[in-house]
RNA sequence: GGCCCCUUCGACUAGCGGUUAGGUCACCACCCUUUCAAGGUGGCGGCACGAGUUCGAAUCUCGUAGGGGUCACCA
């Protein structure tokens, strides 16, 4: 029997990391066993339905590189893959249960149900539907339904005994039948509930392994009862641990960023997100913590899933992302991915070799793709903004800058050795320490004090840019003497940028 | 609260009767160093508790505690 797994997200909002997580494990299991992975849209809640959510879910999986074998987009032999398009199927199946007397139509109004709960609370009884509608004769049920009276269809569940199932990860789980109230199968709007639709669809789509989040454990007996009512064989159930907020509660967007699109926008790589998610509850047999999707597939064994709810740790995700940026992806690939980001930020890219050099030198400092843009914009502008610190360094090193502007202008070959020689000679001849020379230079070249090696900067920027930037830093300083007050260092910090900007136009004509 | 699941460093985890309880992130220190990183070295830190089984328990059993989930015409 070929393995069939599925992910069944409901289109109710931004695609969730939990969906990606469960999808990943289902995908890995199916692939590992040469089976099929199905994506089914569970859009039976018309209240929470969001029109564009389905597209976003599909896009998310595409971005992650998790390709379903069957989906609304890919199609497949078991479609349609949207529950809203399968209403006739549910209709036919509910009729079976109705005719068999396993399900019944219930006509209680919301007020009635509320009153029932209230009374249960007062009398200290168990909360939940008490099965009062079961006694209504079938003829009467049908008559009232034919009359157009709103109603739901419920499953008549046993009152005694217990319903058990085997969980692949947890062993046998048994729940008393008195815990299972007659659950609604078909809502009054005619749409099926999750309980009903997922059982019917999983069976019809040939799903062999239901791997889903732990929150479903206690309602699994309902599903078991349904499988039994239809006379279908049970799939294997595997309830995955729930991703957690830092406070250990079930992951939620109130406490954590749960949107996959948001991580994408922050410059997180799909490979890194997947790798991170994979380590939430699962581990490689050899202990490796950095591995690809394919490597996970090859090694995937549910027996290695640990059941404690893993806390979603942003810091670790970011670190892993950094590892991918500098150790896993090659330079060209990183450059390729960062190109559109630079362009969106207003730094058109027309020199691939230059970009490669820039990425190479920025890489050790980047945790996300966005870091390249945030930290490396100065490579691509003609007019720099200077931070407050940078201005101080420039102001304190004017002589150095003047000297080096001259020295460098006489240099023919701008390679690292030659640059180093110039700098070394200069420092030696003036008996200056490295920081005294390099920091003003770094500030003049980048507008900031946090940047790569000065030698690298000079080599990458090249003669023309280097001389222009030094010259501009010098003229900028001489025309802004008031900035040199050494006393108001901290207070001026937030003003630094606007000030620098305000002054630029004044120097502008040459640019 | 009832029911169900879970429990190894702060976080993610390895371990599946005999280990000085290992690794990763974070944190700290040192090294490297030209700033910021990256990198290197070292450190801090854990088997929730109590019984039992056993020659021997992080590993098996049972209790207790703690955490989580679930009790909808949402999934």
């Amino acid at each position: 029997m070929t393995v069939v797994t599925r992910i069944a997200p409901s289109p109710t909002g931004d695609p969730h990391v939990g969906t990606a997580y469960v999808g990943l494990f289902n995908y890995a299991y199916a692939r590992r066993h040469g089976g099929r992975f199905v994506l089914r849209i569970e859009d039976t809640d018309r209240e929470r339905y969001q029109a564009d959510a389905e597209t976003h879910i599909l896009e998310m999986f595409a971005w992650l590189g998790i390709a379903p074998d069957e989906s609304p987009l890919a199609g497949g032999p078991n479609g349609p893959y949207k529950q809203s398009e399968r209403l006739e199927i549910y209709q036919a199946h509910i009729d079976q249960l109705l005719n068999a007397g396993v399900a019944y139509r219930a006509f209680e109004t919301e007020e009635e149900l509320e009153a029932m709960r209230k009374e249960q609370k007062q009398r200290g009884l168990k909360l939940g539907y008490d099965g009062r509608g079961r006694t209504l004769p079938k003829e009467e049920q049908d008559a009232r339904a034919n009359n157009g009276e709103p109603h739901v269809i419920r499953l008549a569940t046993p009152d005694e005994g217990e319903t058990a199932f085997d969980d692949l990860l947890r062993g046998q789980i048994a729940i008393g039948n008195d815990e299972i109230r007659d659950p609604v199968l078909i809502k009054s709007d005619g749409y099926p509930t999750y309980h009903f639709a997922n059982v019917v669809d999983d069976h019809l789509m040939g799903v062999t392994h239901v791997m889903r989040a732990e929150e479903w454990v206690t309602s699994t007996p309902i599903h078991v009862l349904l499988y039994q009512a239809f006379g279908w064989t049970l799939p294997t159930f595997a309830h995955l641990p729930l991703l957690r907020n830092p406070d250990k509660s079930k992951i939620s967007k109130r406490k954590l960023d749960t949107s996959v699109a948001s991580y994408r926008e922050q410059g997180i790589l799909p490979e890194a997100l997947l790798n991170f998610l994979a380590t939430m509850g699962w581990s490689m047999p050899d202990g490796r913590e950095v591995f690809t999707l394919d490597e996970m597939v090859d090694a995937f064994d549910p027996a290695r899933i640990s059941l404690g709810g893993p806390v979603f740790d942003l810091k670790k995700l970011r670190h892993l992302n950094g590892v991918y940026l500098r150790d896993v992806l090659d330079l060209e690939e990183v450059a390729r991915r960062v190109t559109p980001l630079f362009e969106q930020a207003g730094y058109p890219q027309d020199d691939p070799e230059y970009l490669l050099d820039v990425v190479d030198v920025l890489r050790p400092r980047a945790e996300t793709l966005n870091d390249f843009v945030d930290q490396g914009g100065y490579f691509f502008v003609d007019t720099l903004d200077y931070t407050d610190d940078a201005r101080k360094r420039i102001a304190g090193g004017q002589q150095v800058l003047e000297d080096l502007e001259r020295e460098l202008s006489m240099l023919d070959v701008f390679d690292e050795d030659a640059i180093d020689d110039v700098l070394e000679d200069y420092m030696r001849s003036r008996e200056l320490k490295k920081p005294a020379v390099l920091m003003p230079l770094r500030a003049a070249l980048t507008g900031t004090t946090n940047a790569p090696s000065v030698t690298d900067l000079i080599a990458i920027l090249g003669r023309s840019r280097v001389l222009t930037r030094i010259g501009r830093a010098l003229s900028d300083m001489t025309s802004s003497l008031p900035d040199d007050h050494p006393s108001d260092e901290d207070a001026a910090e937030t003003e630094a940028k606007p000030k620098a900007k305000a002054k630029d136009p004044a120097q502008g004509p040459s640019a």
Side-chain angles (χ1 to χ4, degrees), chain A residues 62-321:
Chain A
W63 178 68
L64 290 170
I66 295 180
D69 299 293
E70 302 172 30
S71 77
L73 200 63
N78 303 302
Y81 294 93
K82 286 167 72 167
Q83 293 185 327
S84 60
E85 296 172 2
R86 300 173 63 82
L87 264 26
E88 339 66 72
I89 297 172
Y90 307 126
Q91 184 61 250
H93 284 84
I94 201 66
D95 283 346
Q96 274 187 48
L97 298 187
L98 246 14
N99 292 333
V102 186
Y104 61 95
R105 301 180 192 275
F107 296 85
E108 290 78 21
T109 63
E110 282 205 30
E111 296 72 47
E112 224 170 314
L113 294 175
E114 215 163 287
M116 176 191 74
R117 281 189 210 102
K118 200 173 165 190
E119 195 191 330
Q120 287 169 336
K121 213 169 207 174
Q122 276 173 357
R123 297 173 51 189
L125 298 172
K126 281 197 176 213
L127 257 44
Y129 188 74
D130 57 9
R132 58 182 63 183
R134 306 215 291 228
T135 53
L136 195 67
K138 186 163 189 331
E139 305 74 51
E140 198 173 330
Q141 289 178 29
D142 292 343
R144 289 172 68 173
N146 287 336
N147 249 353
E149 200 174 323
H151 64 282
V152 300
I153 301 177
R154 290 179 183 272
L155 177 70
T157 60
D159 300 320
E160 289 174 5
E162 57 181 31
T163 299
F165 65 96
D166 284 308
D167 185 288
L168 182 62
L169 309 176
R170 299 158 205 267
Q172 194 187 67
I173 297 174
I175 291 176
N177 287 331
D178 58 343
E179 293 294 324
I180 309 165
R181 326 313 294 237
D182 289 4
V184 171
L185 267 20
I186 301 291
K187 298 181 273 190
S188 57
D189 64 2
Y191 280 76
T193 59
Y194 170 85
H195 301 306
F196 187 63
N198 109 84
V199 167
V200 170
D201 288 346
D202 282 346
H203 176 260
L204 261 26
M205 295 178 177
V207 171
T208 58
H209 296 258
V210 172
M211 302 174 68
R212 72 232 308 184
E214 185 184 356
E215 57 189 333
W216 294 107
V217 167
T218 47
S219 52
T220 302
I222 296 172
H223 310 151
V224 171
L225 257 17
L226 280 168
Y227 278 99
Q228 289 171 349
F230 282 117
W232 296 337
T233 56
L234 289 173
T236 298
F237 292 103
H239 290 95
L240 269 20
L242 231 28
L243 259 22
R244 308 293 183 90
N245 295 315
D247 68 1
K248 291 280 190 181
S249 58
K250 168 171 134 180
I251 192 170
S252 65
K253 66 177 173 185
R254 303 277 166 243
K255 299 179 179 176
L256 201 75
D257 190 350
T258 60
S259 160
V260 172
S262 164
Y263 288 107
R264 181 183 185 175
E265 282 157 21
Q266 290 166 43
I268 297 294
L269 301 159
E271 294 93 332
L273 180 58
L274 241 25
N275 192 157
F276 173 71
L277 253 14
T279 64
M280 299 272 90
W282 185 78
S283 61
M284 272 286 196
D286 64 3
R288 246 183 315 160
E289 304 197 336
V290 179
F291 49 83
T292 65
L293 213 210
D294 287 344
E295 288 168 340
M296 176 189 186
V297 167
D298 286 342
F300 190 68
D301 177 1
R304 296 193 60 83
I305 293 175
S306 56
L307 297 175
V311 172
F312 195 95
D313 183 354
L314 275 322
K315 280 198 183 131
K316 193 156 186 177
L317 204 212
R318 293 178 62 88
H319 173 265
L320 226 207
N321 204 61

Side-chain angles (χ1 to χ4, degrees), chain A residues 309-351:
Chain A
V311 172
F312 195 95
D313 183 354
L314 275 322
K315 280 198 183 131
K316 193 156 186 177
L317 204 212
R318 293 178 62 88
H319 173 265
L320 226 207
N321 204 61
V323 170
Y324 269 77
L325 250 17
R326 76 183 88 88
D327 295 332
V328 179
L329 301 184
D330 60 37
L331 188 60
E332 289 71 19
E333 182 59 22
V334 178
R336 196 179 67 72
R337 298 199 196 195
V338 98
T339 299
L341 298 183
F342 270 120
E343 292 186 329
Q344 280 158 33
Y347 308 118
Q349 297 300 312
D350 51 11
D351 186 344

Side-chain angles (χ1 to χ4, degrees), chain A residues 362-433:
Chain A
L362 249 25
R363 252 173 146 187
R365 297 164 175 77
E367 259 185 347
T368 66
L369 289 174
N370 296 16
D371 286 344
F372 287 92
V373 178
D374 295 342
Q375 298 171 16
Y378 55 78
F379 278 109
F380 304 99
V381 296
D382 288 328
T383 306
L384 295 175
D385 288 342
Y386 301 103
T387 65
D388 195 45
D389 266 355
R391 304 183 78 81
K392 282 183 202 150
R393 292 297 194 165
I394 292 167
Q398 294 191 47
Q399 186 59 53
V400 169
L401 291 174
E402 281 170 27
D403 295 344
L404 284 171
E405 183 180 26
R406 194 170 53 249
E407 298 286 336
L408 289 168
S409 72
M410 295 187 295
L411 185 62
D412 297 322
V413 192
F414 260 59
D415 67 27
E416 301 207 0
D417 286 345
I419 295 162
D420 272 338
D421 286 346
V422 169
L423 297 177
E424 292 286 342
D425 288 349
Y426 177 72
M427 285 184 283
R428 219 181 349 259
S429 66
R430 299 297 166 102
E431 294 186 320
L432 286 168
K433 299 258 188 218

Side-chain angles (χ1 to χ4, degrees), chain A residues 26 34 37 44 47 110 123 190 279 343 345-346 350 380 442 455 497 501 503:
Chain A
N26 275 281
F37 171 60
T44 56
E47 303 269 311
E110 282 205 30
R123 297 173 51 189
T279 64
E343 292 186 329
D350 51 11
F380 304 99
R442 169 175 290 110
T455 307
K497 278 195 176 172
K501 263 190 186 125
K503 266 163 223 120

